[in-house]
């Protein structure tokens, strides 16, 4: 086997393309959880926004209208989740799981009702978001490496991909270098302290949830109107849980979380390349076992390399001004 | 009186863009032509399959069509309990004097897909994307590879499976990703046998200017000019025929394996892919088709326990 | 001139508990006003109402003669009220700087502000002689330093009315003194201060006026100059407080605990305990005095089995405690308890009780595996435990004596009584007692002290860790002073000398 | 405003009923929008899931599996561990059971074979949960992450094992061979013919027993006391002499064993073979059940029956009303979890006001 057989280039490109679904959702989770609200409902929000973006994009023939509608729905769900967690002081896990289950059913029912295609939307065709071709791509396309680097790795993606990558420093900045971020983190660590300092814990958490809603919707929109070009029932296929995993893996810190997302994207891509390839010594690994690669790697990395992950202290606990 | 007919889809549901949907279409065609209605149900789990079949059998239906191999055991069991009710099992083999098991020689149709693919491919690298790594899907893959090798010994088939859970049939993003990665490895024709995930494959092929091959129903029209052909598996015809036989009183129990000869599988040539199928390709495929029907070429079915020769 | 703060008929009820009933009094501008009362008297509740944390069921609060409806801490802060809570309100994993800025940021972007605020803080620190590094992370700071951060917060926000809820409970004498220095400075600047404390000496030392509460009501308001500790105590508890409790003659028995060359190092190899050597005999109370954070907690953890020492030998009743060959202390406290070592942990909320369990469920916490508490099916004998619990609540005067209440809803003093009662009931041979009266009112302190002395008289060996020299003096037969993980000196009780102990606590000279 | 201010009958009865009604109201609205009559639909649903003995029997059959997965999630939750891995543990438990059956179903009599199968399911389930438990206890790997990962790994591994080793030669179905009749869990219709030809079997009685044992173990035994202490405050539990890491590993193993036992009902009680994805989400439903049932035996039982009824009733309803796809009931499940589980105190203020007036 040669180096060429590994297709490093294609793995990297594929990583870049796979990661945004997770990055958006993980950054959404980060906002919610750093403010103290467990966001196990990412999956449901991804699914709902994926459906709504696809349906609206199809109906209006405008992908941006789809994205906007996805944002709206995801924000509504996030606010509902916030209402359960913040105002009702209910169990946050229950709230999130309820949303996941409800959306898995509802998206199908509504899609079926409108489109009669078994919980699928029609193909978006021209209403998809298309890839950006960077200026000068044609000129450099044939230069070895640089051509690949500029047109394939850096260029040639949808706007949402760039947004996903740009989000990471932005989230970092908001979280650590703004007063909102400071308050948000305080609410997640010690809401009583934040409250005593005159910060409204509830309002801060609501805002965090709304942001989480917005970010999460991009994940769904990316899935439906960029990657697939239609909506299919349960198409999130666990992305929300994986994003949550990346976030825990990244110790609730944006950059590490981002690395976690890239890792999943990367091993997902490696796994594709490994299938059916004869490896030295091991030989050909059966396809079903190759599917395990990203997950096994995660467990090994978590068990072996990472220090204990430390969640925000007040996470999951409704804020009650009482002893 | 009109026969009382029923159809039981498996977990994929009647809109799965695959064999359930095809069965539904066959049954609908029958209804349209004869005006005879049928009851349809979806069984989401093996337990439910049994429940549904028994429930329908109790209603004294004359014929129940069970779609998908997952219902094999349930059919076998319920058929024994209700000897007067007739069962048609699609894609699986169940025992019983009142059961007709219909299987398809997917390997034969896939062989044609492989021939067409290898002819159309410039790189002689062909892709195959399956849903889950199960014998049925491997049968497609192996027939496809045999067909490709028959055109050019050196042609190579790269295989990927979408996943390991039921979600693998509904993951177009992953399907698209797999297709992309295959294209980057030099593949220029890809055969998708992955339910809803296959849509992602076909779509990506269209985007990347590559060729794809559809499956089960004729998918040529989905992305005209990009779908090279489709490996049509006539589940719909099988259901239609069974209903018709019941109506005409010609129904028979047994095991039917439907290949090219029996019209169970075929390749699709229509106005959508007419331009893609050059006279050479058409000639080659037609010849291969004839050879198989005549028995000159034997396509290996790996489900019999044989190793895939290609 | 209007008073700075005036309470008019404040009442507040939690479920069946009347925390405040028709509370009325006022505090003059520029005064330091003391607020005293038993545990559960309603002091914190009243202050929480003033700070907008709770809404009063009825009554008004007037600031500077104006009725104000304060419905959030945000509102309170806007009105110039600052509060230092009983439990620190700090975000542990953030820096001092961030904690101070929290809620008082000057704009959305922090980047430009941080340097400026840091400079301001450094300036405040020098002016008020506060020893705090603005860039330190809270969890790395000692309790005293965290307290200073709370003060720093209030100075930074230039609060005009400052509420301090038991600020000195965890401070050493020196730290308390420097806190008072700052309070006096505040007073000079015309700020009004409300100080809650259980230490009447502090009331005498610094306040101008005092309000005494009992059972949610005001039972007295006096000028400090015209009262005495005894009178205040009497008002609070409704009976005089005994200062010198009777005890049997010092007659130590066999050695119960022998500690030799005990050493503890943290993961970085830094010594937390340095070659400790001491012996504890039956029938004596040995007190370990010292500024908190000098190894006392670690020592107690080791002796109770919660932590493994790095090296050294500890004999209990002549036999080595089973540390050898262990990689962690998992389950060890149970072994120790079964050997006869009782432990009243210094941080009762963290270690001593399960807040979510009922009082009754907490009365056998740690003893759940005792044979006597199980029925013949090996299940917990709740009938027996209910009886036992009823007796315990009565004997130790736990209020309210409701076994089904979540213990988290009890006042700190009453929680402490439950913990001590539980450990006493197991009748251990050695009792480790950490800060037994932290945050506890004088009446309860007296009761706890009586209990400990009775145990000593009955022949129990007691190791007491306390930062309160008063407590050490009231209980100890011998005193070990710890500093920097070492024992810097030992005194008999009749050699008690505050100055000398103070020097030893500072590690000044070794005897 | 807390539930403390409320009479017990209100928290135990009125609130849950009001919440359930709210969920059903929203569901009715959706059914109405789908163009069907909500009242009639509800009648069909209740009829086929509860009233009709055969339907009830199916409801209880589904509930039997859910009780086990619900208990699995609940017991881990008592120790403060969120086990998302019941799905994979049940899957793996099914493998243990199947291996035992394939090896022994020709040689052992039923009264030996069934216990061996149960044991196989429990052991394999426990094994699959032991690893995440161990990693949490000894390496601090977050249990939520590892159990999610283990679900994925189980799916791949089982796919591999079933396809490569368990499918009988020449068979299409991705399933093991059917076990011999000796491996069939006795069905309750043997004694109660009114239940009709349904797979409701002795597992249901086991499920009830498991609930009782769980209740006693958690609230009446010293072990359960330590378990709950660990869940509420690890520092204090350590002080109390609990071996924290041992407790975490043990409770995860038990949790996995319970999930594994869920497969006994589905496989030995119904299909009598192991098939791909036979778990079909029962492990995830277990999470919902544990949360909704507040980890209390009675709550777990009631939620399990409710979910079983939705599957059974929803299935029948979708037969009669083609406009209502079965997925509608997934949505309704979500609604019920939302209203009954997460917004449990939605009506508390109203009730408190009414109670004060009255
Ligand atoms: N949130 C609450 N819920 C129920 N009861 C409460 C609550 N807060 C306080 N109480 C009760 O109100 C009474 C007054 O409590 P408070 O904390 O004001 O007392 P305190 O005087 O500050 O006592 P301590 O000296 O121990 O701090 C106590 O009986 C307490 O148990
Ligand atoms: N053996 C049992 N089986 C089922 N449920 C039980 C059993 N014992 C107790 N419960 C229920 O469990 C809950 C808690 O039990 P219990 O009242 O003994 O504890 P508690 O005093 O409330 O302590 P905690 O607050 O820690 O639960 C109660 O709702 C009770 O009804
Ligand atoms: Mg107080
Ligand atoms: Mg109780």
């Amino acid at each position: 086997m040669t180096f060429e057989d590994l297709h490093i280039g294609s793995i990297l490109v594929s990583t870049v393309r796979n990661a945004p679904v997770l990055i958006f959702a993980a950054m959404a989770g980060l906002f919610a959880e750093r403010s103290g609200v467990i966001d196990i409902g990412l999956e449901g929000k991804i699914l709902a926004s994926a459906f709504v973006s696809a349906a609206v994009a199809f109906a209006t023939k405008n992908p941006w209208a789809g994205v906007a509608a996805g944002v709206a729905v995801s924000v509504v769900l996030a606010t509902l989740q916030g209402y359960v967690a913040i105002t009702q002081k209910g169990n946050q896990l229950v709230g999130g799981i309820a949303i996941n289950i409800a959306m898995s059913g509802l998206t199908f029912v509504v899609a079926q009702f409108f489109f009669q295609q078994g919980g699928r939307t029609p193909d978006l065709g021209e209403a998809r978001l298309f890839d950006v071709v960077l200026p000068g791509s044609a000129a450099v396309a044939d230069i070895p490496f640089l051509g690949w680097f500029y047109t394939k790795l850096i260029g040639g993606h949808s706007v949402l991909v760039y947004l996903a990558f740009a989000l990471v420093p932005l989230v970092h900045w908001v979280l650590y270098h703004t007063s909102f971020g400071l308050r948000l983190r305080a609410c997640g660590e010690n809401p009583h302290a934040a409250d005593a300092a005159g910060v409204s814990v509830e309002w801060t958490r609501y805002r965090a949830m709304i942001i989480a809603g917005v970010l999460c919707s991009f994940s769904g929109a990316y899935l439906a109107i960029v990657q697939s070009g239609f909506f299919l029932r349960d198409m999130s296929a666990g992305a929300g849980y994986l994003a949550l995993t990346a976030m825990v893996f990244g110790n609730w810190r944006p950059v590490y979380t981002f690395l976690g997302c890239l890792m999943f994207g990367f091993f997902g891509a490696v796994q594709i390349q490994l299938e059916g390839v004869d490896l030295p010594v091991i030989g050909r690994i059966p396809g079903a076992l190759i599917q395990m690669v990203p997950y096994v790697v995660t467990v090994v990395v978590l068990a072996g390399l990472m220090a204990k992950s430390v969640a925000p202290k007040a996470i999951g606990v409704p804020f009650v001004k009482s002893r | 009186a009109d026969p009382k007919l029923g159809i039981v889809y498996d977990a994929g549901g009647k809109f799965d863009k695959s064999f359930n949907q095809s069965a539904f279409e066959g049954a609908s065609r029958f209804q349209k032509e004869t005006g005879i209605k049928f009851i349809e149900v979806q069984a989401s789990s093996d337990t439910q399959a049994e429940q549904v079949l028994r429930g329908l059998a109790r209603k004294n239906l004359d014929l129940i069509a069970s779609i998908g191999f997952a219902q094999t055991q349930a059919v076998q069991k319920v058929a024994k309990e209700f000897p007067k009710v007739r069962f048609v099992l699609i894609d699986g083999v169940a025992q019983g004097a009142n059961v007709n098991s219909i299987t398809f020689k997917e390997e034969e149709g896939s062989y044609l897909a492989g021939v067409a693919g290898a002819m159309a491919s410039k790189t002689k690298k062909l892709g195959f994307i399956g849903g889950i790594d199960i014998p049925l899907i491997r049968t497609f893959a192996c027939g496809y590879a045999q067909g490709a090798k028959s055109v050019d010994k050196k042609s190579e088939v790269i295989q990927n499976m979408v996943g390991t859970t039921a979600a693998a049939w509904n993951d177009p993003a992953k399907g698209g990703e797999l297709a992309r990665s295959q294209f980057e490895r030099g593949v220029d024709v890809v055969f998708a046998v992955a339910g809803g995930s296959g849509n992602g494959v076909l779509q990506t092929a269209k985007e990347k200017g590559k060729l794809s091959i559809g499956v089960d129903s004729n998918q040529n029209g989905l992305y005209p000019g990009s779908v090279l052909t489709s490996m049509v598996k006539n589940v719909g015809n099988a259901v239609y025929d069974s209903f018709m036989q019941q109506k005409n009183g010609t129904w028979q129990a047994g095991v039917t394996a439907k290949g090219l000869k029996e019209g169970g599988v075929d390749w699709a040539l229509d106005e959508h892919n007419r331009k893609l199928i050059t006279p050479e390709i058409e000639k080659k495929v037609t010849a291969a088709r004839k050879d198989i029907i005549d028995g000159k070429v034997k396509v290996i079915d790996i489900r019999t326990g044989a190793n895939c020769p290609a | 001139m209007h008073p700075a703060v005036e309470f008019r008929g404040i009442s507040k009820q939690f479920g069946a508990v009347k925390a405040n009933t028709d509370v009325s009094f006022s505090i003059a501008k520029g005064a330091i006003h003391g607020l005293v009362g038993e545990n559960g008297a309603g002091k914190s509740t009243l202050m929480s109402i003033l700070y907008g944390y709770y809404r009063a069921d009825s009554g008004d609060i007037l600031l500077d003669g104006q009725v104000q409806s304060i419905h959030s801490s945000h509102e309170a802060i806007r009105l110039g009220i600052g509060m230092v809570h009983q439990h620190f309100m700090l975000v542990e994993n953030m820096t001092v700087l961030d904690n101070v800025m929290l809620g008082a940021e000057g704009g959305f972007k922090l980047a430009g502000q941080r340097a400026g605020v840091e400079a301001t803080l450094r300036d405040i620190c020098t002016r008020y002689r506060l020893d705090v590094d603005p860039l330190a992370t809270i969890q790395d700071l000692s309790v005293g330093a965290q307290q200073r951060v709370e003060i720093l917060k209030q100075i930074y926000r230039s609060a005009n009315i400052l509420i301090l809820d038991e600020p000195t409970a965890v401070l050493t004498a020196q730290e308390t003194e420097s806190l008072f220095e700052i309070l006096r400075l505040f007073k000079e600047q015309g700020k009004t201060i409300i100080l809650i404390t259980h230490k009447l000496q502090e009331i005498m030392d610094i306040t101008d006026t005092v309000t005494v509460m009992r059972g949610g009501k005001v039972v007295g308001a006096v000028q400090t100059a015209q009262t005495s500790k005894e009178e205040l105590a009497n008002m609070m508890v409704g009976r005089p407080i005994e200062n010198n409790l009777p005890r049997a003659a010092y007659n130590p028995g066999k050695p119960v605990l022998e500690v030799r060359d005990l050493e503890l190092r943290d993961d970085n190899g830094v010594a937390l305990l340095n070659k400790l050597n001491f012996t504890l005999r039956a029938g004596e109370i040995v007190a370990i005095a010292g500024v908190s954070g000098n190894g006392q907690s670690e020592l107690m953890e080791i002796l109770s089995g919660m932590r493994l020492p790095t090296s050294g030998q500890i004999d209990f009743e002549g036999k080595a405690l089973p540390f050898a060959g262990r990689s962690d202390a998992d389950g060890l406290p149970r072994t120790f308890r079964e050997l006869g070592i009782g432990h009243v942990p210094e941080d009762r909320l963290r270690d001593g009780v399960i807040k979510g369990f009922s009082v009754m469920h907490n009365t056998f916490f740690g003893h759940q595996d005792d044979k006597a508490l199980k029925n013949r099916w090996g299940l917990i004998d709740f009938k027996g435990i209910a009886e036992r619990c009823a007796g315990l609540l009565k004997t130790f005067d736990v209020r309210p004596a409701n076994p089904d209440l979540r213990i988290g809803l009890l006042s700190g003093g009453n929680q402490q009584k439950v913990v001590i009662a539980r450990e006493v009931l197991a009748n251990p041979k050695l009792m480790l007692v950490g800060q037994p009266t932290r945050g506890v009112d004088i009446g309860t302190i007296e009761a706890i002290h009586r209990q400990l002395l009775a145990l000593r008289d009955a022949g129990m060996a007691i190791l007491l860790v306390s930062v309160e020299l008063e407590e050490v003096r009231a209980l100890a037969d011998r005193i070990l002073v710890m500093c920097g993980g070492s024992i810097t000196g030992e005194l008999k009780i009749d050699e008690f000398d505050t100055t000398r102990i103070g020097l030893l606590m500072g590690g000044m000279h070794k005897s | 405003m807390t539930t403390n201010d409320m009479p017990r009958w209100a928290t135990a009865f009125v609130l849950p009923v009001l919440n359930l009604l709210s969920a059903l109201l929203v569901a009715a609205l959706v059914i109405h929008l789908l163009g069907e009559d909500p009242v009639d639909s509800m009648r069909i649903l209740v009829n086929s899931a509860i009233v009709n003995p055969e339907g009830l029997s199916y409801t209880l059959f589904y509930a039997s599996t859910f009780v086990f997965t619900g208990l699995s999630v609940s017991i881990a939750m008592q120790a403060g561990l969120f086990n998302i891995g019941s799905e994979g543990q049940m899957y793996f438990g099914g493998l243990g059971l199947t291996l035992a059956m394939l090896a022994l179903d020709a040689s052992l009599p039923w009264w030996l074979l069934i216990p061996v199968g149960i044991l196989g399911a429990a052991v394999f389930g426990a094994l699959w949960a032991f690893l995440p438990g161990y990693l949490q206890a000894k390496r601090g790997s977050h249990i939520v992450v590892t159990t999610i990962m283990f679900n994925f790994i189980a799916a791949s591994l089982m796919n591999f094992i079933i396809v490569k080793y368990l499918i009988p030669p020449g068979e299409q179905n991705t399933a093991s061979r059917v076990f011999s009749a000796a491996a069939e869990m006795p069905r309750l219709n043997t004694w109660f013919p009114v239940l009709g030809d349904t797979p409701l079997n002795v597992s249901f009685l086991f499920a009830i027993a498991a609930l009782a044992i769980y209740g006693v173990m958690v609230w009446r035994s010293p072990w359960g006391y330590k378990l709950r202490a660990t869940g509420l405050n690890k520092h204090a539990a350590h002080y109390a002499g609990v071996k924290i890491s041992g407790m975490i590993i043990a409770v995860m193993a038990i949790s996995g064993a319970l999930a594994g036992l869920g497969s006994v009902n589905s496989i030995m009680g119904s299909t009598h073979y192991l098939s791909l994805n036979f778990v079909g989400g029962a492990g995830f439903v277990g999470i919902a059940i544990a949360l909704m049932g507040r980890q209390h035996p009675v709550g777990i039982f009631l939620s399990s029956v409710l979910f079983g009824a939705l599957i059974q009733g929803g299935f029948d309803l979708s037969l009669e009303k083609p406009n209502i796809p079965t997925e509608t009931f997934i949505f309704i499940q979500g609604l019920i979890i939302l209203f009954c589980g997460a917004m449990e105190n939605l009506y508390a203020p109203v009730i408190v006001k009414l109670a004060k007036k009255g």
Side-chain angles (χ1 to χ4, degrees), chain C residues 306 329-331 333-334 337 343 345 349-351 353-354 357 361 364-366 368-369 378-380 382 422-423, chain D residues 4-5 138 216-217 219-222 225-226 228-229 232-233 235-246:
Chain C
M306 291 174 70
D330 245 14
R334 175 175 168 185
R337 206 167 274 124
H343 182 200
L349 282 181
R350 196 189 68 160
D351 296 329
V353 299
I354 301 279
F357 279 1
H361 278 60
F364 61 98
F365 189 57
Q368 62 280 345
D369 292 300
L379 301 178
I380 299 174
F382 278 110
R422 175 182 78 205
E423 295 305 305
Chain D
N4 291 340
D5 301 335
K138 302 287 184 188
V216 171
M217 282 308 283
W219 282 284
R220 291 289 176 258
S221 79
Y225 180 83
K226 288 187 276 191
R228 290 187 296 140
L232 290 170
N233 182 346
H235 291 286
H238 175 57
Y239 158 85
V242 181
K243 284 186 185 153
I244 305 285
S245 53

Side-chain angles (χ1 to χ4, degrees), chain A residues 173 176-180 182-183 185-186 189-190 192-199 313 321-323, chain C residues 51 53-54 73-74 77 85 89-91 93-94 98 102-103 105 107-110 114 157 408 410:
Chain A
W173 182 78
Y176 295 102
H177 298 288
T178 68
S179 60
F180 173 64
L182 179 66
R183 291 171 176 215
R185 287 182 291 131
E189 287 295 327
N190 187 348
H192 297 280
D195 182 62
V199 172
K313 273 212 197 70
K321 293 186 188 190
S322 167
R323 48 171 136 185
Chain C
Y51 195 59
Y53 200 62
Y54 295 141
S73 42
H74 185 76
I77 292 167
H85 291 76
M89 293 295 185
L90 297 170
V91 185
N93 63 357
M94 289 187 185
D98 281 354
L102 178 64
E105 308 89 346
F108 186 70
K109 278 199 297 187
L110 292 185
R114 278 198 169 109
R157 292 163 175 241
L410 249 50

Side-chain angles (χ1 to χ4, degrees), chain A residues 50-108:
Chain A
F51 168 65
V52 172
S53 330
V56 171
F58 174 78
T60 61
K61 297 286 166 239
N62 179 350
W64 293 109
V67 173
V71 170
V73 159
S74 179
V75 166
V76 167
L77 286 177
T79 313
L80 173 65
Q81 229 183 324
Y83 175 72
V84 167
I86 302 163
T87 305
Q88 283 287 313
K89 308 196 190 308
N91 185 317
Q92 302 174 359
L93 291 170
V94 186
I97 298 238
I99 284 176
N100 291 348
I101 295 178
M103 286 309 120
S104 164
L106 190 63
T107 50
F108 177 93

